[in-house]
Each structure stands twice: as structure tokens, then as C-alpha cells.
Amino acid sequence: MNPLTERFSACLWIKRLQAGNGSPFAYNKYEIFMVDDGRYSGGLFGNYNLHGDRSSTFPPKGSWYSYCITWSLASGTSRIYINGKLVNAATTPSGRTLQTGGTLILGNYLPNGYHKFGGELYNFNMFSKELTATEVANLSTIGLCTEIPEHLEEFRVIRWEDILKLSRSGTVTDIDLRCGPILEMRSRLKEVENKTLLTQRKLEVALSEKSDLELSLNKTKTELTEVGGLFNSTQEELVGVQRDLEATQRELNETKVELEDTKLDLEDTKSELKNVSDSRCALVKGNLTKWDIFYTP
């Protein structure tokens, strides 16, 4: 199945230089067509049902403007966008699909037809998808030299660069729109944006690492504070134990003195006991009187 049968979008840039009802492009006569007669006019599937008003909002003669028509079988609606903005929409017949095998013509609606377009055309492309309003708007963000976004390249089935290689009829002249310098500048700008984005990501990573380090530092400070508290508490306990130890040493010294005194008392007691024992022995032998016993110095 042709990729355009059930969905498509056709977009190009137009600058009308002559009055009249010239057709910038048409496919298979009235299958898809557009007429610029000072307003956007055109239709789909033979229905001339997408008309605009001649108003101050429509780009005047001699001005470039972007034009897109989008449609899909699923939505059943054709839409017209001028300079990225939706200006009209119409319902298409239910079940109607795009007929393939026809001829796409730029600058007229039929070969040698009477709707010859007098002006300039640029960057006509057809996509095998119904572009969203955002995608259409992105095709004209920087004007005439806007590039096709990368994500739409896979849907671009008719390409402007291929059209330029085809044979032509009538009075057709190539013009230089000088998009090269603009595209080169845009490419450089894209590189700068990418570098800026990369630098920003590195900065975000560095800030994240800094935040982690700060959290780790604060945690370490808290732990050090807790350890310091434990150290002070332990030191106070050690001072208390030292005091207790000194008191115990004093008590031990005092006990030693008491023990020495007790030893002396014990020696004295032993000596007295010996004297008493000797006295008893003397009394038994009859060498001492009772007076001697009681009044022995």
C-alpha cells in the first residue's frame, strides 16, 4: 500500500508575485490542490471546500509564507495551516482514501493548465503522516530557512531536493535564497546549544556530588560531635575512677598502718602471754609468792 493512501501532509513556502488565481501545487488535478488568489483556497478529493477570506491577516503579495495541508483517514479531517497556525478545517467523506498513481504538479493544477502560478516556491515536501499542530509550527520556527526536524525525516516520502532534479516545463528559474549562511549559523548555534547542555549536565552532576559531599561532611561532623561527647563522658568516668582508686589506696595505706599496729599489739600480747606463762610455771615450782604473782613489774 502506498504510504500516502491513508494519511499525508504537504508543506511548502510560497511567495505570490503576480495577481490571479494561480495554483502553487496540485496532485491528480483536484485530488489535492491549492489556489493562491489573495487568499488560501483549495480542497481535497475534488471538494473545493477549504477557502479563506481576503483579509489583512493573509500574507500580502510579495511576502513569503508557509502553507501546509494535513489529513488522515482516521481523523476524517483536512486542515490548512498558514505560517504554522491552523486557519481552516473540513470533514472528508467517510472511508475515502487518497488515490495513487496520479501526477504531482508545482506551479499549476494541470500540465499547461490555466492556473499558472506567478511567483516563487520553495521546499515542497510530503510526509506519510498527519502532522500535528506542533509539528507544523516547528516547520516555520525561523522562517524560510527552517530545516526539517530529524524525527520527521523517516516520513518525508517526497523531498524537495529530489524535485529539483526533475524535468521542468514553462518558465522556471532557480533562485538563491541564501539559506546556506543561515543554516551554517544555525548549525553552529546547535553545536553551542549542545555544548551548553553538556556543560549544564556536568554542572548538575558536580552540584549533586557537592551536595552529597556536604551531607557526608555534616554526617561526619555529627559523628565527631557524638564521639567527642563519648570521649568527654569517658574522660569524666576515668577521673571518677582515678578518684576512687586514690581513695581506695588511702584506705589501703590506712589499713596497712592499722595492720602494723595490730601486729605490734599482737607481739605485745604474745609477750604478755609468755610472761604470764612463765609466771605460772614459777608459781607451780614454788619460787614465787602470791604477791610476786600479782605485783610483778
Side-chain angles (χ1 to χ4, degrees):
M1 179 183 295
N2 189 296
L4 301 175
T5 301
E6 296 184 356
R7 65 193 63 83
F8 76 86
S9 298
C11 299
L12 77 161
W13 285 86
I14 302 171
K15 181 165 72 171
R16 182 169 56 93
L17 298 177
Q18 298 178 3
N21 58 349
S23 175
F25 76 96
Y27 168 68
N28 204 21
K29 193 176 180 179
Y30 294 122
E31 190 73 1
I32 308 172
F33 64 98
M34 187 255 181
V35 174
D36 182 352
D37 56 356
R39 59 178 179 171
Y40 64 88
S41 299
L44 187 64
F45 306 148
N47 294 323
Y48 200 68
N49 55 1
L50 290 171
H51 299 289
D53 297 326
R54 290 184 175 88
S55 65
S56 59
T57 60
F58 190 78
K61 183 174 67 174
S63 298
W64 281 104
Y65 66 93
S66 67
Y67 176 95
C68 283
I69 179 172
T70 67
W71 167 84
S72 74
L73 178 64
S75 68
T77 303
S78 57
R79 295 178 175 86
I80 298 294
Y81 296 84
I82 300 293
N83 289 331
K85 296 181 179 180
L86 178 67
V87 294
N88 205 345
T91 301
T92 56
S94 177
R96 178 68 155 82
T97 59
L98 183 69
Q99 295 179 1
T100 59
T103 301
L104 174 66
I105 300 175
L106 300 184
N108 212 326
Y109 83 105
L110 281 175
N112 301 316
Y114 58 87
H115 283 290
K116 295 179 181 179
F117 176 74
E120 298 174 357
L121 303 175
Y122 176 66
N123 211 17
F124 180 92
N125 294 281
M126 285 194 72
F127 303 87
S128 59
K129 79 182 297 276
E130 181 181 24
L131 298 181
T132 66
T134 299
E135 289 171 332
V136 171
N138 288 339
L139 293 176
S140 58
T141 52
I142 63 168
L144 187 66
C145 297
T146 302
E147 294 182 287
I148 304 297
E150 291 183 5
H151 74 280
L152 292 181
E153 283 294 344
E154 63 176 301
F155 302 103
R156 197 161 64 111
V157 294
I158 296 180
R159 303 167 180 264
W160 175 248
E161 54 268 34
D162 296 331
I163 292 175
L164 295 178
K165 301 175 184 178
L166 300 177
S167 60
R168 310 169 189 182
S169 61
T171 305
V172 180
T173 304
D174 289 334
I175 57 174
D176 183 8
L177 298 177
R178 301 191 61 78
C179 283
I182 295 176
L183 294 178
E184 183 178 354
M185 185 179 299
R186 183 171 175 80
S187 178
R188 292 178 181 177
L189 178 61
K190 189 66 175 179
E191 290 179 1
V192 173
E193 289 176 348
N194 290 336
K195 289 181 180 179
T196 302
L197 182 60
L198 180 61
T199 302
Q200 185 175 0
R201 289 176 179 173
K202 289 181 178 179
L203 178 60
E204 291 174 353
V205 171
L207 290 174
S208 178
E209 291 177 350
K210 178 185 176 183
S211 178
D212 292 341
L213 288 174
E214 287 177 346
L215 291 174
S216 178
L217 178 60
N218 291 333
K219 182 179 179 181
T220 302
K221 286 181 179 179
T222 301
E223 291 175 349
L224 285 175
T225 301
E226 293 175 353
V227 170
L230 291 174
F231 177 77
N232 292 334
S233 176
T234 302
Q235 191 172 22
E236 291 175 357
E237 292 177 357
L238 286 174
V239 171
V241 171
Q242 182 66 31
R243 286 197 298 266
D244 293 342
L245 182 60
E246 292 174 354
T248 301
Q249 184 65 43
R250 287 194 297 271
E251 291 178 357
L252 180 60
N253 292 336
E254 292 174 357
T255 302
K256 285 182 178 180
V257 172
E258 292 178 356
L259 182 60
E260 291 297 326
D261 292 341
T262 302
K263 285 182 178 180
L264 292 175
D265 290 342
L266 181 60
E267 291 297 326
D268 291 343
T269 302
K270 285 181 179 181
S271 178
E272 290 177 358
L273 286 175
K274 185 176 184 302
N275 291 334
V276 171
S277 178
D278 291 343
S279 297
R280 285 183 178 178
C281 290
L283 181 61
V284 171
K285 293 178 178 182
N287 293 329
L288 295 176
T289 63
K290 292 181 179 179
W291 183 264
D292 294 330
I293 295 172
F294 292 103
Y295 293 97
T296 300

